[in-house]
Amino acid sequence: MRETMLSTPEGIRDVYGLECERKHACIASMENVLHLYGYKDIETPTFEYFGIFNSDKGSAPSNEMYKFFDRDNNTLVLRPDFTPSVARCVAKYFNEEELPIRLCYKGKTFASTKLHQGKLAEITQLGSELINDDSSAADAETIACVIDCLLASGLTKFQIEIGQVDFFKGILEEAGLDEDVEDKLRDYIQIKNFFGLSEYISSIDIPENVRDNLNNLSGLFGGVEVLDRAFSMTENSRAREAVDRLRKVYTALSYYEYEKYISFDLSMINGYDYYTGVVFSGYTYETGNPIVKGGRYNTLLKQFGKDAPSIGFSLYVDELMNSLIRQEIPYENKKEAALIVYVIEHQDSALRLAKKLRDKGVIAQLIRKSKRHDTEEYMEYADRYNAGKVYILLDQKTVRIISADRSVDEERSIESLDC
């Protein structure tokens, strides 16, 4: 019983101490980037009606959602994805707005994945949605914002892979395939099983040029030169327009001077059915999972009553934090912190000193001295909790100041301190 009381469910973990502090600081840095791009905060409910996320909306599979019922027997789910929630809000509160709407969010999503996959069931996400802008400039701005967020987190080595759903759909248009066959093809491509794809398309009746194009998808990965190869391999107008769109996105990103962070993958179609154009994923070292995913979803809002083009992204903060730690990217809390040790007779002076420090922006922890602990134990405590200085009150007017690295050990009058 005690073990159960101290454990967390499968896929759930506690975050505390320096890791939690760093996570919050990382989120704050990336939020600042979003705000600098003009995005405004939005909060959506942790749980909503199942219909917001059902299969028609292209969100997570039903069997991966945490479901429960309200008193009226309505099916509710913990949100598996932010985008449909934001889409609902936009259709409700911004239905008449025709100019761009920029919204950003942070919070938890929940997915009941299979056991023993090593994936979290509770995921911290931060992201944005840009609505009412169907331009290639909006695509490029979104990807540039992703890059700036990752740089703000401290990450320096990463790649944003960009694809185009319409390129894949354009190729399939020439084949006139039924929905089941298209779904099967998409499944193979989604998991990058190109051997399985090749075997499958050899067993079905499709035009030879379509078969060749599907077999060639695996080679459409790399730098901007990939776009020329993709354009020349098909005559389909939809597919070629998709490639031209990517060229415009790349040109805009070159104005940001972000070419080194960009690569193309024309076999990328991403997981959610609501993507309709540009899609992208971000990768870095020390994690096999993407740290960010996003793309254009021009038809999703129409299902909620507002016909508006949109593009957005979600950063997977937990994966990002794992990468930062495993890559040994240093983290430094720029805020000064101090520990004030006092006896009850000097409490008034200790409280005044704490206020003086806090007024100067210094984190000040107060701890009443115990006879069971000596000065060295308090110094070790200060080290554990990242206090740069320890102030030990000697009397009502005098304090001993010891720095964490022991380079300073002096007595000063409290009144003379400028903190």
Side-chain angles (χ1 to χ4, degrees):
M1 179 66 181
R2 177 172 173 79
E3 181 180 348
T4 303
M5 291 293 290
L6 296 178
S7 300
T8 60
E10 182 77 25
I12 308 294
R13 63 183 294 261
D14 299 310
V15 182
Y16 60 94
L18 186 60
E19 181 186 0
C20 190
E21 178 185 307
R22 182 173 188 172
K23 181 178 179 179
H24 285 208
C26 182
I27 290 172
S29 297
M30 295 189 293
E31 268 193 308
N32 182 58
V33 171
L34 290 169
H35 295 157
L36 289 173
Y37 271 77
Y39 289 91
K40 303 297 182 183
D41 293 319
I42 186 171
E43 292 184 1
T44 62
T46 304
F47 60 89
E48 299 207 46
Y49 291 118
F50 171 69
I52 301 297
F53 305 102
N54 66 18
S55 59
D56 292 338
K57 308 300 187 298
S59 197
S62 176
N63 63 351
E64 291 185 5
M65 297 186 200
Y66 286 97
K67 304 185 190 74
F68 55 102
F69 303 95
D70 64 13
R71 66 180 66 189
D72 297 320
N73 213 34
N74 295 305
T75 304
L76 307 175
V77 296
L78 295 177
R79 64 177 172 231
D81 177 19
F82 271 97
T83 300
S85 289
V86 175
R88 175 191 59 74
C89 288
V90 170
K92 183 176 182 179
Y93 302 112
F94 300 91
N95 199 276
E96 302 302 317
E97 180 61 75
E98 296 180 355
L99 292 174
I101 302 165
R102 289 177 170 84
L103 299 171
C104 61
Y105 59 82
K106 65 178 176 183
K108 305 279 190 178
T109 59
F110 305 87
S112 180
T113 55
K114 293 180 181 178
L115 297 179
H116 312 303
Q117 288 189 340
K119 293 182 179 180
L120 290 174
E122 182 184 45
I123 302 165
T124 305
Q125 291 190 15
L126 175 140
S128 75
E129 314 292 349
L130 174 51
I131 296 140
N132 283 338
D133 192 336
D134 195 24
S135 67
S136 59
D139 297 344
E141 177 187 303
T142 300
I143 295 170
C145 186
V146 168
I147 293 171
D148 283 336
C149 283
L150 294 177
L151 291 172
S153 76
L155 205 63
T156 57
K157 297 178 180 178
F158 58 88
Q159 277 287 298
I160 308 298
E161 297 178 3
I162 307 174
Q164 237 288 3
V165 172
D166 275 341
F167 180 78
F168 172 69
K169 291 179 178 178
I171 289 176
L172 292 187
E173 275 183 350
E174 302 176 41
L177 303 173
D178 62 45
E179 188 175 337
D180 288 340
V181 174
E182 283 196 18
D183 288 344
K184 188 73 172 175
L185 291 171
R186 186 182 60 189
D187 289 343
Y188 279 119
I189 294 169
Q190 177 66 40
I191 62 174
K192 305 291 187 184
N193 184 359
F194 294 110
F195 293 107
L197 174 68
S198 181
E199 183 178 1
Y200 179 68
I201 60 179
S202 67
S203 68
I204 59 177
D205 183 22
I206 58 174
E208 186 176 350
N209 66 314
V210 176
R211 182 180 290 111
D212 290 342
N213 288 339
L214 290 172
N215 277 324
N216 289 332
L217 280 176
S218 61
L220 296 179
F221 176 82
V224 68
E225 70 280 355
V226 165
L227 301 184
D228 291 333
R229 295 208 306 271
F231 189 86
S232 64
M233 68 182 264
T234 178
E235 297 291 331
N236 180 269
S237 58
R238 183 176 185 179
R240 284 190 158 190
E241 286 172 9
V243 174
D244 284 337
R245 175 87 170 208
L246 290 179
R247 285 197 182 106
K248 293 175 182 177
V249 171
Y250 183 80
T251 298
L253 287 169
S254 70
Y255 299 148
Y256 287 96
E257 299 182 351
Y258 284 162
E259 299 97 321
K260 70 177 182 178
Y261 300 112
I262 299 302
S263 59
F264 293 94
D265 181 0
L266 272 299
S267 69
M268 180 189 298
I269 54 178
N270 271 359
Y272 289 141
D273 293 337
Y274 53 64
Y275 288 125
T276 59
V278 168
V279 289
F280 54 88
S281 296
Y283 296 90
T284 186
Y285 299 106
E286 303 297 338
T287 177
N289 298 315
I291 53 175
V292 61
K293 277 189 174 184
R296 180 163 288 282
Y297 52 99
N298 283 356
T299 59
L300 177 63
L301 270 81
K302 191 174 183 178
Q303 298 182 57
F304 294 95
K306 180 180 174 65
D307 192 1
S310 310
I311 184 170
F313 70 86
S314 289
L315 277 153
Y316 302 107
V317 178
D318 305 282
E319 289 290 348
L320 175 59
M321 294 305 303
N322 286 339
S323 300
L324 292 170
I325 293 168
R326 290 170 183 167
Q327 292 181 35
E328 298 182 352
I329 294 174
Y331 165 69
E332 180 182 353
N333 186 346
K334 296 179 181 179
K335 282 202 125 185
E336 291 184 63
L339 177 67
I340 301 172
V341 182
Y342 68 97
V343 294
I344 189 63
E345 291 81 8
H346 305 148
Q347 185 179 34
D348 56 341
S349 295
L351 295 179
R352 284 197 296 271
L353 175 57
K355 184 178 185 308
K356 194 173 185 179
L357 289 166
R358 291 165 186 159
D359 287 345
K360 294 288 187 178
V362 178
I363 299 168
Q365 301 179 60
L366 285 156
I367 186 166
R368 206 165 93 182
K369 194 174 188 307
S370 168
K371 293 179 180 178
R372 292 176 296 157
H373 303 291
D374 59 24
T375 299
E376 190 56 34
E377 288 179 280
Y378 289 114
M379 292 301 301
E380 291 171 359
Y381 177 88
D383 286 340
R384 288 199 300 275
Y385 291 94
N386 302 303
K389 290 181 180 178
V390 176
Y391 293 79
I392 303 173
L393 269 72
L394 303 178
D395 55 42
Q396 292 279 38
K397 296 182 178 181
T398 311
V399 62
R400 180 185 176 191
I401 305 172
I402 310 173
S403 62
D405 61 4
R406 311 305 200 270
S407 63
V408 174
D409 187 346
E410 62 181 2
E411 294 182 13
R412 297 274 300 278
S413 71
I414 295 174
E415 293 300 323
S416 69
L417 296 177
D418 58 7
C419 300

